[in-house]
Amino acid sequence: MSTDLNKLVFSLSLVYLVTEATIFRGIAFPLYAYYYLHINILYISVILSLYTLVAMSTYYPSALLSERLGSRNAALISLGLFAISNLTLSLFRGTDFVIASYVFLGMTQSFLQQRVSLLALVSKTKEEQTSAYSAINTVGLTGRVAGSLALIPLYFFESATAFRTGFLALAFIALIPLPFFRHIPNPKSSQRPSLTPSRQVMVYSLVPLLLGFGQGIILTLLQLYFTNLGLNLLRLSLLYAGSGAMGSIGSRFIRRYRQNIAKAYIWASVAFSLSALLLTVNVYLAVLSFLVFSFTRFARAVAGNTLRTETLKVYKQLEKGIGLGAITGDAGDFAGTLSQGYFFNSGDYVLPFVIGGLAFVAGSFLQYIFYQRTVEAKEAGAF
């Protein structure tokens, strides 16, 4: 890899390390809101969906701004918003402040999405991009393991103060990557001179819509599903730490197939969907399936990132395509989150995983078809 790409891999690894640690918040907040703020499950899903709605409304403006300021600066903005969001949640209890925190978190996500553009613009080939993203994701998932293990003190010192202390720690670790951003490039891609995405990019946005729905209906309130199966905070912490470790292994493993990344993506997606279905069998198989689910989830994320950015490069609208895809992905996630909240609130802990698994299979095969008709067609001289 080039010197610029090596610097970028190191710096973005720190960003991923910090942002993946927010798994602590993802697991802890629904429990904190349910047991200490006395909010019912359906309303918790509404609050989480608000974050998604805010992200959706700011994805495209952040993409246009990234074209002007550069993707590196977009990532810097995201870290500042991330710190503010967690600081707000840690210092204030009121519902208004909780909502404000998730507004900031949604804005964080919209700017953070452009880190993918930064990686895609600095890497020269899709094989190089896959290797770099695999390395970044592998390191970043260490943050997921750490964030999951941070739940252990809550098991021994469970209180509202302990939860808020964890949120405060997340605010401060957001500052860790900042000094290293001076040493990485700030590229801007050559875009078509328009404010709107092309027709091809708009059609392509159906892919993240399906995948976002599958993710929302499976993952958003999964911790409540596991507590319903009888797992306490200690076991939940260890399970999510194991999930991060398996995800790290999966991210590293998929590099072996960077020469045939499209087919590897399909096989990982099918295995991912099957493991989601097996979550519903019993508590023991659910735990085992969740680890397999995590391995394949992050393996396919690495492969899917390559397929997506290479497809958007062919369309010559990388930042816009990522921004629009993030909007439709979060629209799907929003619908999935509310659906899961509805089903769980009604006592149905099976149908969400069945629907989510099917949505992922459909979205993954559609992703593969677009890749075939753009990148592979271009390489064959037919595009």
Side-chain angles (χ1 to χ4, degrees):
M1 290 189 287
S2 66
T3 301
D4 281 347
L5 187 55
N6 280 327
K7 290 178 180 178
L8 179 59
V9 166
F10 177 78
S11 300
L12 283 187
S13 292
L14 292 178
V15 175
Y16 272 50
L17 187 72
V18 167
T19 53
E20 286 289 348
T22 203
I23 186 67
F24 172 86
R25 174 173 174 164
I27 302 170
F29 175 74
L31 301 174
Y32 169 67
Y34 185 72
Y35 291 109
Y36 293 99
L37 301 182
H38 308 295
I39 302 173
N40 68 44
I41 294 176
L42 184 58
Y43 193 65
I44 292 170
S45 72
V46 171
I47 293 174
L48 296 176
S49 298
L50 172 66
Y51 144 78
T52 305
L53 285 174
V54 172
M56 287 169 56
S57 67
T58 53
Y59 273 130
Y60 200 71
S62 74
L64 296 176
L65 192 60
S66 296
E67 291 179 2
R68 304 297 183 268
L69 301 180
S71 301
R72 182 197 65 189
N73 290 340
L76 282 170
I77 292 171
S78 73
L79 289 174
L81 292 168
F82 182 72
I84 294 171
S85 172
N86 286 295
L87 193 63
T88 304
L89 189 60
S90 67
L91 297 180
F92 306 101
R93 286 195 184 195
T95 304
D96 290 344
F97 289 106
V98 169
I99 291 173
S101 173
Y102 274 88
V103 168
F104 284 122
L105 191 63
M107 295 172 65
T108 297
Q109 182 61 27
S110 67
F111 279 95
L112 192 61
Q113 189 72 16
Q114 293 302 324
R115 65 189 177 183
V116 180
S117 301
L118 181 55
L119 178 63
L121 292 170
V122 174
S123 57
K124 294 181 173 61
T125 65
K126 63 181 178 182
E127 291 80 13
E128 191 175 58
Q129 182 186 157
T130 300
S131 296
Y133 191 71
S134 171
I136 290 168
N137 217 34
T138 301
V139 174
L141 285 170
T142 305
R144 177 170 285 260
V145 174
S148 301
L149 291 176
L151 288 166
I152 292 177
L154 295 181
Y155 174 75
F156 294 103
F157 307 102
E158 187 173 349
S159 67
T161 300
F163 278 91
R164 293 199 303 273
T165 300
F167 303 144
L168 182 63
L170 285 175
F172 282 103
I173 68 170
L175 305 178
I176 293 174
L178 296 181
F180 300 95
F181 269 74
R182 296 178 302 137
H183 305 295
I184 62 175
N186 186 36
K188 302 174 187 177
S189 65
S190 176
Q191 300 291 308
R192 292 175 178 174
S194 71
L195 293 176
T196 58
S198 66
R199 181 178 60 84
Q200 297 99 318
V201 169
M202 293 181 69
V203 174
Y204 181 65
S205 66
L206 289 173
V207 171
L209 178 68
L210 284 169
L211 297 177
F213 177 78
Q215 176 170 294
I217 201 171
I218 292 173
L219 286 172
T220 308
L221 299 173
L222 193 57
Q223 66 277 59
L224 293 177
Y225 171 70
F226 281 122
T227 57
N228 183 67
L229 292 179
L231 272 64
N232 60 30
L233 265 174
L234 177 61
R235 292 175 178 174
L236 197 64
S237 173
L238 294 174
L239 178 61
Y240 273 84
S243 166
M246 290 298 291
S248 181
I249 295 170
S251 296
R252 191 75 179 173
F253 177 79
I254 201 70
R255 290 181 62 183
R256 299 182 180 184
Y257 301 96
R258 57 185 177 271
Q259 300 295 333
N260 200 6
I261 198 65
K263 290 183 179 178
Y265 171 77
I266 286 296
W267 285 113
S269 297
V270 170
F272 175 84
S273 300
L274 289 175
S275 61
L277 296 177
L278 292 175
L279 287 169
T280 64
V281 178
N282 57 55
V283 64
Y284 301 106
L285 193 55
V287 168
L288 180 62
S289 298
F290 184 57
L291 297 177
V292 176
F293 175 90
S294 301
F295 177 93
T296 53
R297 175 190 173 192
F298 291 100
R300 68 176 296 284
V302 172
N305 176 75
T306 298
L307 267 61
R308 175 181 55 164
T309 54
E310 290 301 310
T311 299
L312 291 173
K313 281 182 179 180
V314 173
Y315 290 143
K316 297 184 179 359
Q317 289 201 329
L318 182 61
E319 287 94 346
K320 287 188 180 73
I322 288 174
L324 181 61
I327 293 171
T328 57
D330 272 10
D333 189 280
F334 173 75
T337 295
L338 289 182
S339 299
Q340 189 182 46
Y342 170 78
F343 284 122
F344 280 10
N345 206 51
S346 302
D348 190 335
Y349 291 93
V350 174
L351 195 55
F353 301 111
V354 175
I355 296 173
L358 293 175
F360 257 106
V361 169
S364 298
F365 274 94
L366 191 59
Q367 172 83 281
Y368 179 67
I369 291 170
F370 272 104
Y371 181 81
Q372 274 189 319
R373 294 183 177 180
T374 53
V375 179
E376 292 184 352
K378 181 179 181 180
E379 291 173 345
F383 190 89

